[in-house]
């Protein structure tokens, strides 16, 4: 872990890897905006990079995250997944 803290402190930006799942559920109730009826949840499950993420948090510096969206395991429709990808890229 100290290795990653040193790397990040000296300008390095290591990469962590995750698998993501998009879940869109209804109904959702938002007091501030009653027109919103859905709740979108994009969950990232970290596969590799636990120590890198911890080191980045300890040094208050950014790191890279490569995430693979598991389309078949997501509860979202194909249209919702395409919509989410426009925001993520």
């Amino acid at each position: 872990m100290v290795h990653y803290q040193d790397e990040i402190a000296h300008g390095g930006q290591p990469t962590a890897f995750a698998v993501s799942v998009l879940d869109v559920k209804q109904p959702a109730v938002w007091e501030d905006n009653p027109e919103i009826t859905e709740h979108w949840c994009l969950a990232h499950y970290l596969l590799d990079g636990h120590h890198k993420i911890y080191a980045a948090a300890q040094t208050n510096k950014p790191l890279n995250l490569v995430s693979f969206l598991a389309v078949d395991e997501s509860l979202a429709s194909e249209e919702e997944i395409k919509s989410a990808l426009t925001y993520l890229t």
Side-chain angles (χ1 to χ4, degrees):
M1 203 165 355
V2 174
H3 165 76
Y4 292 119
Q5 288 176 340
D6 288 341
E7 180 182 340
I8 292 169
H10 291 95
Q13 220 173 8
T15 301
F17 295 92
V19 169
S20 301
V21 177
L22 178 62
D23 186 8
V24 179
K25 293 192 176 195
Q26 297 177 11
V29 179
W30 301 96
E31 293 177 11
D32 296 342
N33 193 346
E35 295 175 7
I36 298 176
T37 60
E38 299 174 328
H39 177 78
W40 289 44
C41 177
L42 180 62
H44 300 284
Y45 297 94
L46 198 57
L47 299 175
D48 177 56
H50 294 83
H51 293 113
K52 296 171 189 174
I53 295 257
Y54 182 79
Q58 293 298 306
T59 57
N60 199 27
K61 300 284 185 182
L63 81 155
N64 298 310
L65 175 66
V66 174
S67 179
F68 301 93
L69 181 60
V71 174
D72 291 339
E73 276 64 17
S74 293
L75 297 178
S77 69
E78 184 177 341
E79 180 180 312
E80 291 165 334
I81 288 172
K82 287 180 182 177
S83 177
L85 289 175
T86 62
Y87 289 102
L88 296 173
T89 56

